[in-house]
Amino acid sequence: MKISLNWLKNYIDISLTAQEIDDKLTMSGLEVESIEEIGKDIKDFIIAEVKEVEKHPNANKLTVCKVDDGTTTHQIVCGAPNVAAGQKVVLGLSGSWVPRNAHSPEGEPFKLEKVKIRGVESNGMLCSEFELGISENHDGIMVLKDDAPIGTKFLEYLKISDTVFEIGITPNRPDALSHIGV
C-alpha cells in the first residue's frame, strides 16, 4: 500500500525525515518496502523568462537567448524551434541533472555544464517536457503560462513534491489499510 507524506500531514503534525518515519513505521510493525521522492529529478530547475532571442552566428537551427531567472540574466544557446521572447520557460543551469536526454536513444540523464556551442557560450538549457520527464513531447521547449512566477523552483510551481512510502500490509494489520489507519 502506498502512503503519501503530504496526505499524512493533513492528519498529524510530522517534522521527521523520511528515514525517521521509515524507522518508526517499521518499529510499529509496518514494513516499509520502499520510499519514493516524487519530483526529486526536477528539483534544480527554475522558472525564467526569455528576454531576447537572436539567430546563432554559426548555426542555422540554433538561437542565442538571454534568459532572466529573477536574479541574473543568462546566455543560453537553444535548438528548440518554438523559443520566443516573452515566454516563461523551465531553465536548468550548470550543475543541474537533466532527467532525460532527447538526443540519446536510451534517454540517459546528463549533467549540465557551461559549454561553448559552435563558438558561443551557453550557461544552461531551456527544457522540453520530455527532458524533464513529464511527457513524451520533445518538439520544443516547455512554455509555461504568462503568470508563472520568475525565479520560482519549477517543482514548487507544479506542486507535486511528495514522499511516498510503500508499506507491506500483513493479514493481521487491516487497521493500516488507509492513511488514517497508518
Side-chain angles (χ1 to χ4, degrees):
M1 173 158 168
K2 294 191 177 194
I3 300 294
S4 160
L5 180 57
N6 288 348
W7 201 348
L8 281 178
K9 287 179 179 179
N10 289 332
Y11 299 111
I12 57 175
D13 185 24
I14 301 174
S15 60
L16 303 172
T17 67
Q19 188 57 52
E20 291 171 332
I21 294 170
D22 176 2
D23 294 341
K24 297 247 184 236
L25 289 172
T26 300
M27 294 308 291
S28 71
L30 300 174
E31 180 185 351
V32 177
E33 295 176 347
S34 67
I35 301 172
E36 179 184 4
E37 291 183 42
I38 308 292
K40 72 175 181 175
D41 293 342
I42 58 173
K43 66 179 174 32
D44 294 331
F45 295 88
I46 55 176
I47 297 173
E49 182 175 10
V50 178
K51 293 295 190 181
E52 296 176 27
V53 177
E54 297 176 359
K55 187 166 175 25
H56 192 291
N58 303 318
N60 292 334
K61 294 184 179 183
L62 297 176
T63 56
V64 180
C65 305
K66 301 288 185 204
V67 182
D68 178 18
D69 70 3
T71 57
T72 308
T73 299
H74 305 277
Q75 179 171 288
I76 308 290
V77 175
C78 182
N82 65 328
V83 67
Q87 292 174 328
K88 302 283 179 77
V89 296
V90 182
L91 173 65
L93 296 171
S94 296
S96 300
W97 280 88
V98 178
R100 294 169 74 187
N101 187 345
H103 303 290
S104 164
E106 293 83 30
E108 298 283 326
F110 65 98
K111 188 174 184 178
L112 291 175
E113 297 177 9
K114 188 182 286 191
V115 296
K116 281 194 174 186
I117 301 175
R118 298 218 178 171
V120 176
E121 187 174 285
S122 183
N123 299 306
M125 179 178 176
L126 305 181
C127 299
S128 70
E129 292 177 9
F130 178 85
E131 291 156 337
L132 293 167
I134 294 173
S135 80
E136 296 302 311
N137 181 7
H138 56 86
D139 294 335
I141 59 170
M142 182 176 192
V143 179
L144 305 173
K145 293 181 180 181
D146 291 337
D147 64 351
I150 297 170
T152 302
K153 293 274 190 180
F154 182 57
L155 189 56
E156 291 173 21
Y157 176 73
L158 290 179
K159 297 179 183 166
I160 62 167
S161 180
D162 197 1
T163 302
V164 177
F165 299 89
E166 185 159 1
I167 299 174
I169 305 296
T170 56
N172 66 327
R173 292 301 307 264
D175 59 313
L177 287 172
S178 69
H179 278 75
I180 292 175
V182 170

